[in-house]
Amino acid sequence: MSSQYLTLNVVELTQETSDAVTIHFERPDRQPVTCEPGQFLTLILPCGPGGKKERRAYSLSSTPGEAPRLAVTVKRVPGGLMSNYLLDTVRVGQQMEVMAPIGNFTLKPAANSARSFVLVGAGSGITPLMSMLKAVLQEEPKSYVLLIYGNRNEESVIFREQLRRLEQQYPNRFQVEHVYSQPTGPVAAHQHTGRLNRTMLLRILEQRHQFPAEQADYYLCGPEGLMTEAKAALELLGVPASRIRRESFVAAADTAEATAAQPNGHGDVSTADDEGQSVARTVTINYEGSEYKIEVEPNQTILEAALDQDIDLPYSCQAGLCTACRGKCLSGKVHLDEREGLSDREISQGYVLTCVGHPLTSDVVIEID
């Protein structure tokens, strides 16, 4: 098993709500697993047809400071293959195969910094934000965190008690503003009724935020609609794009076309609607010291072709969002169906995602870390 894959023991289960559970893991040797706040763990479980192994990415709700433990929080999704399998079968003591934590949606605490963080999330989008806010509160003592958290009602709030305790523990540095779309009881202080949209966000930031909006750092995680509303609110407040980070495991957010012409040293990446995908092409993959020649059919992604040939490349979401399958295009040209997981800089440097990548030329060489 390569270094990207780990076997972890389930050491504890925490029931967060009626349909959400936190699964706590440790390595069998209890050595810490390298990770950063906001990254995700990919679980590999035999829950497909005939026991076929499936992969799903779940954000870490734990922080590196909780080592050797790692935790993910899984919410049951109606019809969701992995979430239902997990919540119905996971037991303390079982072993689980996972991919080591990865992801670029991260926050790195700096002990001497004095920053203002605004975290905006809804539903299970709280999980990476929970990892981030705990890390900041514990490791960055001069910084302040405002969490704006949308849910259906009080009973559906994941980490409700834990958030309440953190507010009591850090009364001058942490506050939570809850937004309930369908509250079941009277709404108390720091609770709002309605949809978490741009109007609600602007109102909360005006009332509760103690710092100039354009000087704060913003981390957004949740459904695509929320991401759009939050982005619009922050644009109205004049927040620079460089201060806004976002994570969405809901497919297809950024439909902007971008074709990057690369300098020498790597291949070309295209996300525009491109011709040239109508013939099979051979792609060379360099991975863990081996070279693989893969025949990619016109209707296949590079990852699909590799898996069909039993080449175990790293992957997780298969939607171009999580970056588990990221590689660098050293030559040739690759078309990406989706580029949400890659920054403009990564695109310009020739990085591609094999799960949404198609070769456009016959000389494509991709190196995977």
Side-chain angles (χ1 to χ4, degrees):
M1 189 179 290
S2 80
S3 59
Q4 288 190 302
Y5 295 90
L6 305 169
T7 298
L8 300 180
N9 294 331
V10 178
V11 293
E12 187 180 350
L13 300 171
T14 305
Q15 192 79 38
E16 302 291 354
T17 67
S18 60
D19 62 356
V21 169
T22 296
I23 306 169
H24 305 265
F25 297 100
E26 287 182 6
R27 280 173 48 143
D29 59 8
R30 302 200 75 239
Q31 289 299 303
V33 177
T34 303
C35 63
E36 296 177 10
Q39 290 190 313
F40 59 86
L41 200 63
T42 299
L43 308 187
I44 306 171
L45 291 172
C47 59
K52 178 175 175 285
K53 285 187 177 181
E54 299 285 344
R55 304 184 184 207
R56 295 291 185 277
Y58 292 100
S59 295
L60 293 170
S61 49
S62 56
T63 70
E66 294 167 47
R69 286 201 171 187
L70 288 174
V72 298
T73 303
V74 180
K75 183 177 181 180
R76 191 184 295 274
V77 177
L81 187 66
M82 180 75 85
S83 67
N84 283 281
Y85 179 87
L86 269 173
L87 270 60
D88 291 341
T89 67
V90 68
R91 297 288 181 271
V92 170
Q94 82 179 78
Q95 288 198 323
M96 209 172 286
E97 185 185 357
V98 307
M99 279 183 68
I102 56 171
N104 298 325
F105 182 66
T106 58
L107 185 159
K108 297 177 184 176
N112 295 321
S113 290
R115 297 185 281 180
S116 169
F117 293 99
V118 178
L119 313 181
V120 181
S124 57
I126 185 65
T127 50
L129 304 181
M130 190 69 180
S131 176
M132 292 173 178
L133 70 87
K134 286 189 294 185
V136 170
L137 293 174
Q138 292 160 6
E139 300 174 41
E140 204 168 294
K142 299 175 193 170
S143 292
Y144 171 89
V145 181
L146 168 64
L147 171 65
I148 304 172
Y149 185 19
N151 281 283
R152 183 178 295 109
N153 54 44
E154 207 168 34
E155 286 69 45
S156 62
V157 176
I158 301 173
F159 309 126
R160 180 170 63 172
E161 279 305 302
Q162 204 177 147
L163 289 169
R164 188 182 60 78
R165 287 197 302 270
L166 287 168
E167 278 191 291
Q168 291 175 341
Q169 188 177 349
Y170 302 97
N172 300 316
R173 296 182 47 220
F174 178 51
Q175 66 185 64
V176 184
E177 296 288 321
H178 290 283
V179 180
Y180 301 130
S181 60
Q182 300 170 31
T184 53
V187 177
H190 306 302
Q191 298 181 357
H192 308 263
T193 303
R195 204 163 72 86
L196 183 46
N197 56 20
R198 74 188 72 183
T199 306
M200 178 77 71
L201 281 166
L202 288 168
R203 187 185 314 147
I204 292 171
L205 289 170
E206 182 184 356
Q207 293 171 353
R208 307 301 312 171
H209 199 227
Q210 302 172 11
F211 302 86
E214 66 277 9
Q215 292 176 22
D217 291 297
Y218 298 82
Y219 287 79
L220 319 174
C221 187
E224 201 49 48
L226 172 64
M227 301 292 95
T228 304
E229 292 287 315
K231 191 162 175 278
L234 298 180
E235 282 175 359
L236 286 169
L237 291 171
V239 176
S242 60
R243 288 191 171 271
I244 303 170
R245 302 290 307 283
R246 43 179 281 164
E247 177 91 307
S248 173
F249 282 123
V250 182
D254 190 350
T255 56
E257 294 181 350
T259 305
Q262 317 311 344
N264 293 332
H266 52 76
D268 285 352
V269 183
S270 168
T271 56
D273 290 333
D274 231 306
E275 297 302 317
Q277 299 181 50
S278 57
V279 297
R281 291 191 171 89
T282 300
V283 172
T284 303
I285 302 276
N286 296 322
Y287 177 52
E288 292 196 326
S290 297
E291 181 180 280
Y292 302 95
K293 299 281 188 182
I294 301 168
E295 186 81 3
V296 184
E297 297 296 330
N299 60 342
Q300 278 187 313
T301 65
I302 296 167
L303 175 65
E304 287 168 344
L307 296 177
D308 281 353
Q309 294 178 40
D310 291 327
I311 299 167
D312 189 19
L313 297 184
Y315 72 94
S316 181
C317 76
Q318 291 185 271
L321 300 171
C322 76
T323 73
C325 67
R326 192 183 82 151
K328 191 166 188 178
C329 181
L330 302 181
S331 71
K333 187 171 184 178
V334 172
H335 169 75
L336 300 182
D337 296 329
E338 167 64 54
R339 53 74 46 94
E340 174 72 7
L342 295 174
S343 67
D344 291 341
R345 184 177 179 188
E346 287 172 312
I347 292 274
S348 72
Q349 290 173 341
Y351 284 100
V352 298
L353 302 173
T354 62
C355 75
V356 290
H358 306 267
L360 294 177
T361 58
S362 57
D363 57 344
V364 170
V365 177
I366 296 173
E367 184 173 75
I368 296 176
D369 296 336

